[in-house]
Amino acid sequence: MSNIPVYLFTGFLESGKTKFIQETLEDKRFHKNERTLVLVCEEGVEEYEPSKIPTKNIMFETIDEESDLTEERLAEAAKKAKATRVLVEYNGMWQLQNLYDAMPEGWLIYQQMLFFDASTFASYNANIRSLVVDKVQDADMVVFNRVPLGADQMPFHQAVRALSRNAEIAYEYTNGKVIYDDIIDPLPFDIDAPVIEIKDNDYALWYRDATEDMMKYDGKTIKFKGLVATNKGFDDKTFAAGRHIMTCCVEDITYSGVICNSEKPTGLKAGEWIMLTAKISIEFHKLYKGKGPVLKVISVSKTTPPEQPVATF
């Protein structure tokens, strides 16, 4: 079975998804005899205009209810369209995992773009933040539409960077001009120091950076305060050290730790707080199901919990 690329467009009502998809479909450069299925999971004020699209090899399929988002429904629509690629205008009020679970075998997300109306973003981010987090953390690009001329980019930038360091950010101003974000975010710790010291308030940022761009930490020495976790598959020289991290709300608090190996038994127990100094090696570990940071213990000692036990961004 050949893979079907999926181009995913997310965002809340009237954020500019339909307009962008319509303009993309009108561009002749986007079409090279592909057969395209467009899944429309949200209908707003703006409607698609098939008559302006320079090909007939396209089929629109509307999914009105989240319960209709099933593997069988998607596979049937793709078969009917004889689709070689899929575009999805996704409902911002639906969790992305529901789409991921429903995608038929062979469907692969090639690009995920997220759209926000700059004038309503703050309200969405304050009132339904869990849905904002859900969309930002997987996005390849975040586009803020209808940005007023002279508006400060920093609040938008910071909101995205609190959830993703990898997503590109673009601002489309009310005069139609598009500017790409070029704000540089210095990390709050020195990765070139002989020992990278992670302050208690910076653990979440370090953990995200170390998992998103892990190779730059290979061979580095690090020091941080962490909570011990154990696993039945560990021997007496292996443990995990990390923190519980809250991304947006209490419901999403997750223990986020790294594997640690010691040359001798540590006697550490789950739930103990430690001060750890270790050398990072990026290597395969079965708990990562691939490569990840494995910390070679240099020194470890028991300590008191940080003032805020749950780390945040």
Side-chain angles (χ1 to χ4, degrees), residues 3-14:
N3 292 330
I4 294 181
V6 177
Y7 299 87
L8 177 56
F9 303 89
T10 65
F12 300 104
L13 196 65
E14 305 307 314

Side-chain angles (χ1 to χ4, degrees), residues 299-313:
S299 67
V300 60
S301 60
K302 296 180 183 179
T303 187
T304 57
E307 186 176 340
Q308 297 292 337
V310 176
T312 62
F313 294 96

Side-chain angles (χ1 to χ4, degrees), residues 5-207:
V6 177
Y7 299 87
L8 177 56
F9 303 89
T10 65
F12 300 104
L13 196 65
E14 305 307 314
S15 61
K17 301 189 299 294
T18 303
K19 179 176 181 290
F20 184 88
I21 296 172
Q22 175 71 35
E23 290 175 351
T24 299
L25 293 174
E26 289 178 15
D27 189 340
K28 293 181 180 179
R29 296 170 297 178
F30 188 69
H31 303 283
K32 295 181 180 178
N33 298 318
E34 295 93 344
R35 298 190 64 87
T36 305
L37 169 65
V38 180
L39 292 174
V40 183
C41 302
E42 180 179 68
E43 291 189 88
V45 174
E46 192 159 349
E47 297 182 353
Y48 289 102
E49 299 181 71
S51 61
K52 293 185 177 181
I53 300 172
T55 178
K56 301 299 182 183
N57 293 334
I58 187 167
M59 187 184 92
F60 289 88
E61 175 83 3
T62 300
I63 299 181
D64 294 315
E65 302 294 333
E66 193 171 5
S67 58
D68 292 333
L69 197 67
T70 65
E71 183 175 350
E72 293 74 19
R73 174 75 180 273
L74 300 188
E76 180 183 353
K79 182 178 180 180
K80 183 178 179 181
K82 298 179 181 178
T84 58
R85 66 181 177 188
V86 176
L87 276 64
V88 182
E89 180 181 4
Y90 200 62
N91 191 315
M93 304 305 291
W94 299 355
Q95 292 284 343
L96 280 173
Q97 191 60 49
N98 296 328
L99 173 65
Y100 299 155
D101 291 342
M103 285 171 51
E105 183 179 357
W107 285 31
L108 298 174
I109 294 179
Y110 269 43
Q111 186 178 38
Q112 186 172 150
M113 295 186 67
L114 169 59
F115 296 83
F116 287 116
D117 182 334
S119 66
T120 58
F121 172 72
S123 176
Y124 280 116
N125 196 36
N127 296 310
I128 50 173
R129 181 162 169 75
S130 61
L131 288 170
V132 172
V133 172
D134 178 60
K135 306 304 182 294
V136 172
Q137 61 188 2
D138 286 349
D140 297 306
M141 173 172 281
V142 180
V143 180
F144 290 95
N145 288 313
R146 309 180 185 104
V147 181
L149 296 177
D152 185 6
Q153 295 177 357
M154 188 57 74
F156 304 116
H157 170 92
Q158 290 177 329
V160 174
R161 285 292 171 258
L163 304 171
S164 171
R165 294 188 67 86
N166 291 333
E168 291 188 69
I169 307 173
Y171 308 96
E172 181 173 357
Y173 288 84
T174 50
N175 64 356
K177 186 176 182 179
V178 177
I179 296 178
Y180 289 89
D181 187 287
D182 60 0
I183 299 172
I184 298 175
D185 290 300
L187 291 167
F189 43 83
D190 183 3
I191 67 168
D192 294 319
V195 178
I196 306 170
E197 296 197 34
I198 307 301
K199 296 179 181 178
D200 292 345
N201 291 338
D202 296 332
Y203 180 82
L205 288 171
W206 172 77
Y207 181 82

